């Protein structure tokens, strides 16, 4: 009778990859139909925050801030890609003009992953912010940079 030998590295690799495969397989909550638009409220994380009102989405990533108007309709996968404006030098003193920007994101339940591409017309370059992952009804923590109490009008 022939015995099979499994190398210990193969076992270790299987033990490491198994939880990743299970995590990536998805959960029943992910199969829920995504909303048609961003949920009104405060979304937060360490280093980022978003305030969604009925008419505006106000974004903070670090010491920067920007806005885009609602409705920002989500596609069937929960994604959006919309134009807006952004201020790269917002704290401690706001400097420079509001710059054209594109906001792209994907919503999965109460989690939003967001990226911003800012056309820095002052320094003549494209500035990428994110991606950041933020959670609905979580308080934003921006360190020394304050988040607005509410979205600007």
């Amino acid at each position: 009778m022939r015995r099979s030998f499994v190398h210990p590295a193969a076992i270790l690799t299987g033990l490491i990859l198994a939880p990743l495969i299970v995590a990536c397989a998805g959960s029943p909550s992910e199969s829920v139909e995504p909303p048609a638009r961003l949920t009104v409220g405060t979304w937060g994380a360490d280093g980022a925050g978003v305030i969604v009102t009925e008419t505006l989405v106000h974004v903070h990533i670090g010491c920067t801030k920007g806005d885009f108007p609602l409705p920002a309709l989500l596609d069937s996968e929960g994604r959006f890609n919309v134009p807006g404006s952004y201020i790269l030098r917002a704290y401690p003193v706001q400097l420079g003009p509001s710059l054209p920007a594109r906001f792209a994101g994907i919503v999965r339940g109460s989690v939003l992953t967001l990226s911003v591409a800012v056309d820095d017309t002052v320094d003549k370059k494209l500035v990428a912010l994110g991606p950041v992952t933020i959670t609905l009804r979580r308080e934003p923590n921006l360190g020394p940079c304050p988040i607005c109490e509410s979205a600007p009008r």
Side-chain angles (χ1 to χ4, degrees), residues 30-104:
E30 289 183 64
S31 63
V32 174
E33 184 81 17
R37 60 181 278 181
L38 288 172
T39 302
V40 172
T42 299
W43 301 66
D46 289 335
V50 172
I51 301 168
V52 180
T53 70
E54 292 295 331
T55 59
L56 186 74
V57 178
H58 183 66
V59 175
H60 284 265
I61 298 176
C63 295
T64 66
K65 64 182 180 178
D67 302 292
F68 63 91
L70 278 180
L73 300 178
L74 307 179
D75 70 9
S76 63
E77 301 289 320
R79 295 175 300 207
F80 65 91
N81 187 328
V82 296
S85 62
Y86 214 85
I87 298 172
L88 291 170
R89 299 151 196 91
Y91 183 82
V93 176
Q94 185 171 312
L95 297 173
S98 183
L99 303 166
R102 291 233 38 113
F103 297 78

Side-chain angles (χ1 to χ4, degrees), residues 27 29-30 32-35 37-46 48-50 52 74 77-80 104-115 131-138:
S27 65
S29 65
E30 289 183 64
V32 174
E33 184 81 17
R37 60 181 278 181
L38 288 172
T39 302
V40 172
T42 299
W43 301 66
D46 289 335
V50 172
V52 180
L74 307 179
E77 301 289 320
R79 295 175 300 207
F80 65 91
I106 185 165
V107 178
R108 294 279 189 251
S110 62
V111 176
L112 166 63
T113 302
L114 176 69
S115 295
V132 294
T133 302
I134 51 182
T135 305
L136 183 60
R137 291 182 280 286
R138 179 176 171 203

Side-chain angles (χ1 to χ4, degrees), residues 17-28:
L17 291 178
L20 294 174
I21 292 167
V22 170
C24 291
S27 65

